Coordinates of all heavy atoms in Angstrom, one line a residue:
G363 N 0.8 -1.2 0.0 CA 0.0 0.0 0.0 C 0.9 1.2 0.0 O 2.1 1.2 0.0
E364 N 0.2 2.4 0.0 CA 0.9 3.6 0.0 C 0.3 4.6 1.1 O -0.9 4.5 1.3 CB 0.9 4.3 -1.3 CG 1.7 3.6 -2.4 CD 1.8 4.4 -3.7 OE1 1.0 5.4 -3.8 OE2 2.5 4.0 -4.6
L365 N 1.1 5.4 1.7 CA 0.7 6.4 2.6 C 1.1 7.7 2.1 O 2.3 7.9 1.7 CB 1.3 6.2 4.0 CG 1.0 4.9 4.8 CD1 1.9 4.8 6.0 CD2 -0.5 5.0 5.2
C366 N 0.3 8.7 2.2 CA 0.7 10.1 1.9 C 1.1 10.7 3.2 O 1.0 10.1 4.3 CB -0.4 10.8 1.1 SG -1.9 11.1 2.1
N367 N 1.4 12.0 3.2 CA 2.0 12.6 4.4 C 1.1 12.7 5.6 O 1.6 13.0 6.7 CB 2.5 14.0 4.0 CG 1.4 14.9 3.5 OD1 0.3 14.5 3.4 ND2 1.8 16.1 3.2
A368 N -0.2 12.6 5.4 CA -1.1 12.6 6.6 C -2.1 11.5 6.7 O -3.1 11.5 7.3 CB -1.9 14.0 6.6
D369 N -1.8 10.4 5.9 CA -2.6 9.3 5.8 C -2.5 8.3 6.9 O -1.3 8.0 7.4 CB -2.3 8.6 4.5 CG -3.4 7.5 4.1 OD1 -4.5 7.6 4.6 OD2 -3.0 6.6 3.3
V370 N -3.6 7.8 7.5 CA -3.5 6.7 8.5 C -4.4 5.6 8.0 O -5.6 5.8 7.6 CB -4.1 7.2 9.9 CG1 -4.1 6.1 10.8 CG2 -3.2 8.3 10.4
D371 N -3.9 4.4 7.9 CA -4.7 3.2 7.4 C -5.0 2.3 8.6 O -4.1 2.1 9.4 CB -3.9 2.5 6.4 CG -3.8 3.2 5.1 OD1 -4.7 4.1 4.8 OD2 -2.9 3.0 4.3
W372 N -6.2 1.8 8.7 CA -6.6 0.8 9.7 C -7.0 -0.5 9.1 O -7.6 -0.5 8.0 CB -7.8 1.4 10.5 CG -7.5 2.5 11.5 CD1 -7.5 3.8 11.2 CD2 -7.1 2.3 12.8 NE1 -7.1 4.5 12.3 CE2 -6.9 3.6 13.3 CE3 -6.9 1.2 13.7 CZ2 -6.5 3.8 14.6 CZ3 -6.5 1.5 15.0 CH2 -6.3 2.8 15.5
Y373 N -6.6 -1.6 9.7 CA -7.0 -2.9 9.2 C -7.5 -3.7 10.4 O -7.0 -3.5 11.5 CB -5.8 -3.7 8.6 CG -5.2 -3.0 7.4 CD1 -4.2 -2.0 7.6 CD2 -5.7 -3.2 6.1 CE1 -3.6 -1.4 6.5 CE2 -5.2 -2.6 5.0 CZ -4.1 -1.7 5.2 OH -3.6 -1.0 4.1
V374 N -8.4 -4.6 10.2 CA -8.9 -5.5 11.3 C -8.4 -6.9 11.0 O -8.6 -7.4 9.9 CB -10.5 -5.5 11.3 CG1 -10.9 -6.4 12.4 CG2 -10.9 -4.1 11.6
V375 N -7.8 -7.5 12.0 CA -7.2 -8.9 11.8 C -7.9 -9.8 12.8 O -7.9 -9.4 14.0 CB -5.7 -8.8 12.0 CG1 -5.1 -10.2 11.9 CG2 -5.0 -7.9 11.1
P376 N -8.5 -10.9 12.4 CA -9.1 -11.8 13.4 C -8.0 -12.5 14.2 O -7.0 -13.0 13.6 CB -9.9 -12.8 12.5 CG -9.3 -12.7 11.2 CD -8.7 -11.4 11.0
A377 N -8.1 -12.5 15.5 CA -7.1 -13.2 16.3 C -7.7 -14.4 17.0 O -8.8 -14.4 17.4 CB -6.6 -12.2 17.4
V378 N -6.8 -15.3 17.3 CA -7.1 -16.6 18.0 C -6.3 -16.6 19.3 O -5.1 -16.3 19.3 CB -6.8 -17.8 17.2 CG1 -7.1 -19.1 18.0 CG2 -7.6 -17.8 15.9
A379 N -7.0 -16.8 20.4 CA -6.3 -16.8 21.7 C -5.1 -17.8 21.7 O -5.2 -18.9 21.3 CB -7.3 -17.2 22.8
G380 N -3.9 -17.3 22.1 CA -2.8 -18.1 22.2 C -2.0 -18.3 20.9 O -0.9 -18.9 20.8
Q381 N -2.6 -17.8 19.8 CA -1.9 -17.9 18.5 C -1.2 -16.6 18.1 O -1.8 -15.5 18.1 CB -2.9 -18.2 17.4 CG -2.3 -18.6 16.1 CD -3.4 -19.1 15.1 OE1 -4.2 -18.3 14.6 NE2 -3.4 -20.4 14.9
R382 N 0.1 -16.7 18.0 CA 1.0 -15.5 17.7 C 0.6 -14.8 16.4 O 0.3 -15.4 15.4 CB 2.4 -16.0 17.6 CG 3.4 -14.8 17.4 CD 4.8 -15.3 17.3 NE 4.9 -16.1 16.1 CZ 6.0 -16.7 15.8 NH1 7.1 -16.6 16.5 NH2 6.1 -17.4 14.7
L383 N 0.5 -13.5 16.5 CA 0.3 -12.7 15.3 C 1.6 -11.9 15.0 O 2.2 -11.3 15.9 CB -0.8 -11.6 15.7 CG -1.1 -10.6 14.6 CD1 -1.7 -11.2 13.3 CD2 -2.1 -9.6 15.2
R384 N 2.1 -12.0 13.8 CA 3.3 -11.3 13.4 C 3.0 -10.3 12.3 O 2.3 -10.6 11.3 CB 4.3 -12.3 12.9 CG 5.6 -11.7 12.5 CD 6.6 -12.8 12.0 NE 7.8 -12.3 11.4 CZ 8.8 -11.9 12.0 NH1 8.9 -12.0 13.3 NH2 9.9 -11.4 11.4
V385 N 3.5 -9.1 12.5 CA 3.3 -8.0 11.5 C 4.7 -7.7 11.0 O 5.6 -7.4 11.8 CB 2.6 -6.8 12.1 CG1 2.5 -5.7 11.1 CG2 1.3 -7.2 12.7
Q386 N 4.9 -7.7 9.7 CA 6.2 -7.4 9.2 C 6.1 -6.4 8.1 O 5.2 -6.5 7.2 CB 6.9 -8.7 8.6 CG 8.3 -8.5 8.1 CD 9.0 -9.8 7.9 OE1 8.6 -10.8 8.4 NE2 10.1 -9.7 7.3
A387 N 7.0 -5.4 8.1 CA 7.1 -4.4 7.0 C 8.3 -4.6 6.3 O 9.4 -4.7 6.9 CB 7.0 -3.0 7.7
T388 N 8.2 -4.7 5.0 CA 9.4 -4.9 4.1 C 9.3 -4.0 2.9 O 8.2 -3.5 2.5 CB 9.5 -6.4 3.5 OG1 8.3 -6.7 2.9 CG2 9.7 -7.4 4.7
N389 N 10.5 -3.6 2.4 CA 10.6 -2.7 1.2 C 9.9 -1.4 1.5 O 9.2 -0.9 0.6 CB 10.0 -3.4 0.0 CG 10.7 -4.6 -0.4 OD1 12.0 -4.7 -0.3 ND2 10.0 -5.7 -0.8
V390 N 10.0 -0.9 2.7 CA 9.4 0.4 3.1 C 10.3 1.5 2.6 O 11.5 1.5 2.8 CB 9.3 0.5 4.6 CG1 8.7 1.8 5.0 CG2 8.4 -0.6 5.1
G391 N 9.6 2.4 1.9 CA 10.4 3.5 1.3 C 10.6 4.7 2.2 O 11.2 5.7 1.8
G392 N 10.1 4.6 3.4 CA 10.3 5.7 4.4 C 10.0 5.1 5.8 O 10.1 3.9 6.0
Q393 N 9.7 6.0 6.7 CA 9.5 5.6 8.1 C 8.0 5.5 8.4 O 7.3 6.5 8.2 CB 10.1 6.6 9.0 CG 11.6 6.7 8.8 CD 12.4 6.1 10.0 OE1 11.9 6.1 11.1 NE2 13.6 5.6 9.7
I394 N 7.6 4.3 8.8 CA 6.2 4.1 9.1 C 6.1 3.7 10.6 O 7.0 3.2 11.2 CB 5.5 3.1 8.2 CG1 6.1 1.7 8.4 CG2 5.4 3.5 6.8 CD1 5.3 0.6 7.7
L395 N 4.9 3.9 11.1 CA 4.6 3.6 12.5 C 3.5 2.5 12.4 O 2.5 2.7 11.8 CB 4.1 4.8 13.3 CG 3.7 4.6 14.7 CD1 4.8 4.0 15.6 CD2 3.2 5.9 15.3
V396 N 3.7 1.4 13.0 CA 2.7 0.3 13.1 C 2.4 0.0 14.5 O 3.2 -0.2 15.3 CB 3.3 -1.0 12.4 CG1 2.3 -2.1 12.5 CG2 3.7 -0.8 11.0
Q397 N 1.1 0.0 14.8 CA 0.6 -0.2 16.2 C -0.6 -1.2 16.1 O -1.4 -1.2 15.2 CB 0.1 1.1 16.8 CG 1.2 2.2 16.9 CD 0.7 3.5 17.2 OE1 -0.1 4.1 16.6 NE2 1.2 4.1 18.3
L398 N -0.7 -2.0 17.2 CA -1.8 -2.9 17.3 C -2.6 -2.5 18.5 O -2.1 -2.2 19.6 CB -1.3 -4.4 17.6 CG -0.8 -5.2 16.3 CD1 0.4 -4.6 15.7 CD2 -0.6 -6.6 16.7
Y399 N -3.9 -2.6 18.3 CA -4.9 -2.2 19.4 C -5.9 -3.3 19.6 O -6.3 -4.0 18.6 CB -5.7 -0.9 19.0 CG -4.8 0.3 19.0 CD1 -4.1 0.7 17.9 CD2 -4.7 1.1 20.2 CE1 -3.3 1.8 17.9 CE2 -3.9 2.2 20.2 CZ -3.2 2.6 19.1 OH -2.4 3.7 19.1
L400 N -6.3 -3.5 20.8 CA -7.3 -4.5 21.2 C -8.7 -3.8 21.1 O -8.8 -2.6 21.0 CB -7.1 -5.0 22.6 CG -5.7 -5.6 22.9 CD1 -5.6 -5.9 24.4 CD2 -5.5 -6.8 22.0
P401 N -9.8 -4.6 21.1 CA -11.1 -4.0 21.1 C -11.2 -3.0 22.3 O -10.6 -3.2 23.4 CB -12.0 -5.2 21.3 CG -11.3 -6.4 20.8 CD -9.9 -6.1 21.1
G402 N -11.9 -1.9 22.1 CA -12.1 -0.9 23.1 C -11.0 0.1 23.0 O -10.9 1.1 23.8
G403 N -10.0 0.0 22.1 CA -9.0 1.0 21.9 C -7.7 0.8 22.8 O -6.9 1.7 22.8
T404 N -7.6 -0.3 23.5 CA -6.4 -0.5 24.4 C -5.2 -0.8 23.5 O -5.2 -1.7 22.7 CB -6.7 -1.7 25.3 OG1 -7.9 -1.5 26.0 CG2 -5.5 -2.0 26.2
F405 N -4.1 -0.1 23.7 CA -2.9 -0.3 23.0 C -2.3 -1.7 23.4 O -2.2 -2.0 24.5 CB -1.9 0.8 23.3 CG -0.6 0.7 22.6 CD1 -0.5 0.9 21.2 CD2 0.5 0.3 23.3 CE1 0.8 0.7 20.6 CE2 1.8 0.1 22.7 CZ 1.9 0.4 21.3
A406 N -2.0 -2.5 22.4 CA -1.4 -3.8 22.7 C 0.1 -3.8 22.6 O 0.8 -4.2 23.5 CB -2.1 -4.8 21.7
V407 N 0.6 -3.5 21.4 CA 2.0 -3.6 21.2 C 2.3 -2.9 19.8 O 1.4 -2.6 19.1 CB 2.5 -5.1 21.1 CG1 1.9 -5.8 19.9 CG2 3.9 -5.2 21.2
A408 N 3.6 -2.8 19.6 CA 4.1 -2.5 18.3 C 4.7 -1.2 18.1 O 4.2 -0.2 18.6 CB 3.1 -2.8 17.2
T409 N 5.7 -1.2 17.3 CA 6.2 0.0 16.7 C 7.3 -0.5 15.7 O 8.2 -1.2 16.1 CB 7.0 0.9 17.8 OG1 6.1 1.0 18.9 CG2 7.2 2.3 17.2
I410 N 7.1 -0.2 14.5 CA 8.0 -0.6 13.5 C 8.4 0.7 12.8 O 7.5 1.4 12.3 CB 7.4 -1.6 12.5 CG1 7.0 -2.9 13.2 CG2 8.5 -1.9 11.4 CD1 6.2 -3.8 12.3
Y411 N 9.6 1.1 12.7 CA 10.0 2.2 11.9 C 10.8 1.7 10.7 O 11.9 1.2 10.8 CB 10.9 3.1 12.7 CG 10.3 3.6 14.0 CD1 10.9 3.4 15.2 CD2 9.1 4.4 14.0 CE1 10.3 3.9 16.4 CE2 8.5 4.8 15.1 CZ 9.1 4.6 16.3 OH 8.5 5.1 17.5
G412 N 10.2 1.8 9.5 CA 10.8 1.3 8.3 C 10.7 -0.2 8.3 O 9.7 -0.8 8.8
N413 N 11.7 -0.9 7.8 CA 11.6 -2.4 7.7 C 11.8 -3.0 9.1 O 12.5 -2.5 9.9 CB 12.7 -2.9 6.8 CG 12.6 -2.4 5.4 OD1 11.5 -2.3 4.9 ND2 13.7 -2.2 4.7
G414 N 11.0 -4.0 9.4 CA 11.1 -4.7 10.6 C 9.8 -5.5 10.9 O 8.9 -5.6 10.1
A415 N 9.7 -6.0 12.1 CA 8.6 -6.9 12.5 C 8.3 -6.7 14.0 O 9.1 -6.3 14.7 CB 8.9 -8.3 12.2
T416 N 7.1 -7.1 14.3 CA 6.7 -7.1 15.7 C 5.7 -8.3 15.9 O 5.1 -8.7 14.9 CB 6.0 -5.8 16.2 OG1 5.9 -5.8 17.6 CG2 4.6 -5.6 15.5
E417 N 5.6 -8.8 17.1 CA 4.8 -10.0 17.3 C 3.9 -9.7 18.6 O 4.3 -9.0 19.5 CB 5.6 -11.2 17.6 CG 6.4 -11.6 16.3 CD 7.3 -12.9 16.6 OE1 7.4 -13.3 17.7 OE2 7.8 -13.4 15.6
Y418 N 2.7 -10.4 18.6 CA 1.8 -10.2 19.7 C 1.1 -11.5 19.8 O 0.6 -12.1 18.8 CB 0.9 -9.1 19.5 CG -0.1 -8.9 20.6 CD1 0.2 -8.5 21.9 CD2 -1.5 -9.2 20.4 CE1 -0.7 -8.4 22.9 CE2 -2.4 -9.1 21.4 CZ -2.0 -8.7 22.6 OH -2.9 -8.6 23.7
T419 N 0.9 -12.1 21.0 CA 0.1 -13.2 21.3 C -1.1 -12.9 22.1 O -0.9 -12.6 23.3 CB 0.9 -14.3 22.0 OG1 2.1 -14.6 21.2 CG2 0.1 -15.6 22.1
P420 N -2.3 -12.8 21.6 CA -3.5 -12.4 22.3 C -3.9 -13.5 23.3 O -3.7 -14.7 23.1 CB -4.5 -12.2 21.3 CG -4.1 -13.0 20.1 CD -2.6 -13.1 20.2
T421 N -4.4 -13.0 24.4 CA -4.9 -14.0 25.5 C -6.4 -14.3 25.2 O -6.9 -15.3 25.8 CB -4.8 -13.4 26.9 OG1 -5.5 -12.1 26.9 CG2 -3.3 -13.2 27.2
A422 N -7.0 -13.6 24.3 CA -8.4 -13.9 24.0 C -8.6 -13.7 22.5 O -7.9 -12.9 21.9 CB -9.4 -12.9 24.8
G423 N -9.6 -14.4 21.9 CA -9.9 -14.2 20.5 C -10.7 -13.0 20.2 O -11.2 -12.4 21.1
G424 N -10.7 -12.6 19.0 CA -11.5 -11.4 18.6 C -10.6 -10.6 17.7 O -9.5 -10.9 17.3
P425 N -11.2 -9.4 17.3 CA -10.4 -8.6 16.4 C -9.3 -7.8 17.0 O -9.3 -7.4 18.2 CB -11.5 -7.5 16.0 CG -12.4 -7.5 17.1 CD -12.5 -8.8 17.7
I426 N -8.2 -7.7 16.2 CA -7.0 -6.9 16.6 C -7.0 -5.8 15.5 O -7.2 -6.0 14.3 CB -5.7 -7.7 16.5 CG1 -5.7 -8.8 17.5 CG2 -4.5 -6.8 16.7 CD1 -5.6 -8.4 18.9
Y427 N -6.9 -4.5 15.9 CA -6.9 -3.4 15.0 C -5.4 -3.0 14.8 O -4.7 -2.7 15.7 CB -7.7 -2.3 15.6 CG -9.1 -2.7 15.8 CD1 -9.5 -3.2 17.1 CD2 -10.1 -2.6 14.8 CE1 -10.8 -3.7 17.3 CE2 -11.4 -3.0 15.0 CZ -11.7 -3.6 16.3 OH -13.0 -4.0 16.5
L428 N -5.1 -3.0 13.5 CA -3.7 -2.6 13.0 C -3.8 -1.2 12.5 O -4.5 -0.9 11.5 CB -3.3 -3.6 12.0 CG -2.0 -3.5 11.4 CD1 -0.8 -3.6 12.4 CD2 -1.8 -4.5 10.3
K429 N -3.0 -0.3 13.0 CA -2.9 1.1 12.6 C -1.5 1.3 11.9 O -0.5 1.1 12.5 CB -3.1 2.0 13.7 CG -3.0 3.5 13.4 CD -3.1 4.3 14.6 CE -2.9 5.8 14.4 NZ -3.0 6.6 15.6
I430 N -1.6 1.8 10.7 CA -0.3 2.1 10.0 C -0.3 3.5 9.6 O -1.3 4.0 8.9 CB -0.2 1.1 8.7 CG1 -0.2 -0.3 9.2 CG2 1.1 1.5 8.0 CD1 -0.2 -1.3 8.0
S431 N 0.7 4.2 9.9 CA 0.7 5.7 9.6 C 2.2 6.1 9.4 O 3.1 5.4 9.8 CB 0.1 6.5 10.7 OG 0.8 6.3 11.9
P432 N 2.4 7.3 8.8 CA 3.8 7.8 8.7 C 4.3 8.0 10.1 O 3.5 8.4 11.0 CB 3.6 9.1 7.9 CG 2.3 9.0 7.2 CD 1.4 8.2 8.1
R433 N 5.6 7.8 10.3 CA 6.2 8.0 11.6 C 6.0 9.5 12.0 O 5.7 9.8 13.1 CB 7.6 7.6 11.6 CG 8.2 7.8 13.0 CD 9.6 7.3 13.1 NE 10.2 7.4 14.4 CZ 11.4 7.2 14.7 NH1 12.3 6.8 13.8 NH2 11.9 7.4 15.9
Y434 N 6.2 10.4 11.0 CA 6.1 11.8 11.3 C 5.1 12.3 10.3 O 5.3 12.2 9.1 CB 7.4 12.5 11.0 CG 8.6 12.0 11.9 CD1 9.6 11.3 11.3 CD2 8.6 12.2 13.2 CE1 10.6 10.8 12.1 CE2 9.6 11.7 14.0 CZ 10.6 11.0 13.4 OH 11.7 10.5 14.2
L435 N 4.0 12.9 10.8 CA 3.0 13.5 9.9 C 3.7 14.6 9.1 O 4.5 15.4 9.6 CB 1.8 14.1 10.7 CG 1.0 13.0 11.3 CD1 -0.2 13.7 12.1 CD2 0.4 12.1 10.3
G436 N 3.4 14.7 7.8 CA 4.1 15.7 7.0 C 5.3 15.1 6.3 O 5.9 15.8 5.5
S437 N 5.6 13.8 6.5 CA 6.8 13.2 5.9 C 6.4 12.9 4.4 O 5.2 12.8 4.1 CB 7.3 12.0 6.6 OG 6.3 11.0 6.7
P438 N 7.4 12.6 3.6 CA 7.1 12.3 2.2 C 6.3 11.0 2.0 O 6.2 10.2 3.0 CB 8.4 12.2 1.5 CG 9.4 12.7 2.5 CD 8.8 12.7 3.8
L439 N 5.8 10.8 0.8 CA 5.0 9.6 0.5 C 5.8 8.4 0.9 O 7.0 8.3 0.7 CB 4.7 9.6 -1.0 CG 3.9 8.4 -1.5 CD1 2.5 8.5 -0.9 CD2 3.9 8.4 -3.0
T440 N 5.2 7.4 1.5 CA 5.8 6.2 2.0 C 5.1 5.0 1.3 O 3.9 4.9 1.3 CB 5.7 6.0 3.5 OG1 6.3 7.1 4.1 CG2 6.3 4.8 4.0
A441 N 5.8 4.0 0.8 CA 5.2 2.8 0.2 C 5.6 1.7 1.2 O 6.7 1.6 1.7 CB 5.8 2.6 -1.1
F442 N 4.7 0.7 1.3 CA 4.9 -0.4 2.2 C 4.3 -1.6 1.6 O 3.5 -1.6 0.7 CB 4.4 -0.2 3.6 CG 3.0 0.0 3.8 CD1 2.2 -1.1 4.1 CD2 2.3 1.2 3.6 CE1 0.8 -1.0 4.2 CE2 1.0 1.4 3.7 CZ 0.2 0.3 4.0

């Protein structure tokens, strides 16, 4: 996907209790911020700046919300 300088993208990922969720960014053309949230808006984990990965193992099933945004608002177009 692509992010412009003020773009924030949200994705919903179904999670299974005890099953590891891995988020990996590759071939990133700039600095992005990746965050995972639980239902209700509770911050779970994550921060990826550029290429990298993060993992999270939920204790309960349900949706995990993945937020992807430029690390700095106003930064140039980023591709991921």
Side-chain angles (χ1 to χ4, degrees):
E364 290 185 354
L365 293 172
C366 65
N367 61 359
D369 191 22
V370 175
D371 291 336
W372 286 90
Y373 299 91
V374 179
V375 179
V378 177
Q381 191 173 70
R382 183 180 64 181
L383 173 66
R384 179 179 171 87
V385 178
Q386 183 165 346
T388 57
N389 298 318
V390 176
Q393 298 253 330
I394 62 171
L395 177 60
V396 178
Q397 299 170 303
L398 278 68
Y399 291 87
L400 303 175
T404 304
F405 179 73
V407 68
T409 313
I410 302 173
Y411 301 123
N413 296 327
T416 191
E417 296 179 351
Y418 177 70
T419 303
T421 57
I426 299 287
Y427 300 91
L428 177 64
K429 178 183 176 184
I430 302 175
S431 61
R433 182 173 179 190
Y434 304 108
L435 291 180
S437 62
L439 180 69
T440 301
F442 64 95

